[in-house]
Amino acid sequence: MSADLAPRYPRWLAAMGMVAALLAAMPACNGEPAPFDPLLARPPELDRGKLLPGDEQGMVCTSSSFGPGKVLTLADAVDLALCHQPQVQATWASIKLQAAQLGEARAAYLPTLNAGASRYRDGISAEQGSSTRSVGTLYATLTWRLLDFGGRSANQRAADVLLQAASASQDATLQKAMAAAVGLYYEAHSARAAEQARERALQLAHQVLATAIKREQRGVGSLPETLQARSFVAKAELELARAVGQHKRSLVALAVGLGLLDQAGDVPVLTLSSEVEEDPLGLEQNLPGWLQSARQYHPAILAARAQLEAAREKVKVARSEGLPTLDLSASRFINGRPNQAGGSRGDRETVVGLNLNIPVFEGFARNYKIDGAQAQVELREAELRDVQAQVLGDIATTYAEATTALRSMASSRSLLEAAQRAVESVRRKYDAGAADIVEMLNAQSVLSEAELERIRCLSDWRSARLRLLANAGEMGRSSFATSSAPLKPPARP
């Protein structure tokens, strides 16, 4: 725009300057705490955090990282996984994308305003001489769609349910991320318990060896018994070395799964918290209850249903595009119209009109577009049935594993207590010379296997318990409080 237009049209220039300043002041939706959202398309969870099932506070990631020397609890491990896994971060971006598309759908109900300016210079040459004329043109156009036979409303409903689908898909991703973090954490915890059990077995083997040496020196025992005890010590040392290696591998896998390896640049030293081993009370809800809860609230099923509903709305959008539309337009021109020479200074023109657009023939493209939209509906229906079958099948399988683990817990405790009493009894007899080395080593082997079986059963219960919650879409921070409470889904509104 030329500078000499300013003194002639101060009101127009002031209004256009205010519009330009407002547009320049609008911040982009780039993940800032309070982005510009005049149409209220941004869901509150982007600012308040995701509320997990059974929790009272939303999940909000902070900039603080896991420090060295800090005891890593199960809740800390889950928080690290939820804040650093790329799959979870991608779901946040998907929600922002769907929120932006919802804003676009809502913006279709509002009018659009365009303004512009141009300048023309005409030069005329004749026998009497030459002359030059300079004209500046200002214009503004308002366009507002008044009627479209349901196309905008269907598009907005589709955007709404797609945003719900993105949120439900994120819930399903969070459940998988928490289940993976819990699995890695308990694997490391069980590996540490197995290492400690092997250490106790090695100590007991050294004690048996010391007793065998004393018996041989007193003439009560024999050299073969001492050699057997030494062989048992060597075997215990080998098993301990393997347990130490397995423990280290599980810690590395845990660090990688939680994203700690990328932050520190090296494998951090992790110290896991100690947990009290308690037998659980049981499963409070039966299998039909878990399945019914999953049908109503599982995020993967909710996401598939939302996708199906959005596909049905897209069919309405495709059909409405072949129906008439009615638009209101209003334009204001000063000094002529743009891109048209011949205007003069001082001209004022106002144009107001109604535009009715009736599609007549589009080469049958509309029919094929509707057929494609209906095919998408059929595809989404098949995906919904597949998701339901997979989710309910996983729940039934995990429920059977959890009930089996429950029955094994009491048996493993009884086995461990009996093995401990047997070792103490045989040890007293061995010290008194009433039992041989074979009986002592057999009792010690049974005790070592009983300890490992107890650890295995406890790990199976923890894994099955939390996998059942994750497969049902009901896992939250409150699920990590204790493993002895009756297992049931959190209450839903």
Side-chain angles (χ1 to χ4, degrees), residues 181-456:
V182 167
L184 292 173
Y185 184 87
Y186 278 138
E187 284 180 6
H189 202 278
S190 298
R192 184 186 65 177
E195 178 183 347
Q196 294 173 351
R198 293 300 185 185
E199 290 177 351
R200 291 191 296 269
L202 179 59
Q203 294 176 358
L204 183 57
H206 279 294
Q207 294 175 2
V208 173
L209 175 60
T211 303
I213 294 175
K214 292 180 180 178
R215 285 165 55 90
E216 182 183 0
Q217 292 175 351
R218 294 197 307 265
V220 179
S222 62
L223 179 60
E225 290 185 355
T226 305
L227 294 178
Q228 286 182 348
R230 293 185 184 275
S231 299
F232 197 82
V233 169
K235 182 181 179 182
E237 291 176 347
L238 177 60
E239 292 175 346
L240 176 59
R242 291 175 178 173
V244 171
Q246 181 62 32
H247 185 203
K248 292 181 179 179
R249 287 192 297 270
S250 64
L251 291 178
V252 172
L254 177 61
V256 174
L258 301 183
L260 299 179
L261 186 62
D262 295 335
Q263 294 180 6
D266 196 0
V267 180
V269 179
L270 300 180
T271 303
L272 305 183
S273 62
S274 300
E275 297 184 3
V276 179
E277 298 184 4
E278 297 179 357
D279 284 338
L281 299 180
L283 295 171
E284 182 171 303
Q285 188 163 318
N286 55 14
L287 180 58
W290 286 96
L291 297 179
Q292 181 63 27
S293 178
R295 290 189 185 98
Q296 296 179 358
Y297 305 114
H298 195 281
I301 296 179
L302 295 179
R305 289 174 180 168
Q307 292 284 352
L308 174 58
E309 185 177 354
R312 291 171 177 169
E313 296 296 336
K314 289 298 182 180
V315 174
K316 299 178 182 179
V317 173
R319 290 175 177 171
S320 66
E321 291 178 357
L323 300 177
T325 57
L326 180 63
D327 297 332
L328 170 66
S329 62
S331 302
R332 175 70 171 174
F333 303 98
I334 299 179
N335 298 342
R337 297 194 179 191
N339 302 323
Q340 293 182 2
S344 59
R345 292 190 180 93
D347 290 346
R348 300 289 189 275
E349 182 182 5
T350 302
V351 179
V352 179
L354 292 175
N355 301 321
L356 178 62
N357 181 28
I358 303 177
V360 178
F361 181 70
E362 300 178 0
F364 305 105
R366 184 67 50 212
N367 301 79
Y368 290 107
K369 188 172 184 179
I370 294 175
D371 292 341
Q374 291 177 342
Q376 285 290 334
V377 173
E378 297 176 2
L379 177 62
R380 297 304 181 187
E381 289 176 347
E383 291 178 352
L384 174 58
R385 292 193 297 269
D386 181 65
V387 170
Q388 287 178 337
Q390 182 177 358
V391 168
L392 299 182
D394 291 341
I395 292 176
T397 301
T398 314
Y399 183 87
E401 295 175 356
T403 54
T404 302
L406 275 175
R407 289 192 296 267
S408 301
M409 288 288 291
S411 300
S412 65
R413 176 178 288 275
S414 300
L415 175 62
L416 178 59
E417 293 175 352
Q420 290 173 344
R421 291 193 298 268
V423 167
E424 292 297 329
S425 176
V426 174
R427 185 175 180 178
R428 288 193 297 268
K429 293 171 59 178
Y430 182 72
D431 293 341
D436 58 5
I437 188 66
V438 176
E439 187 178 358
M440 182 64 203
L441 295 181
N442 288 338
Q444 185 176 349
S445 298
V446 172
L447 175 60
S448 179
E449 293 299 326
E451 289 182 343
L452 294 178
E453 190 64 33
R454 175 63 180 175
I455 295 172
R456 189 180 301 111

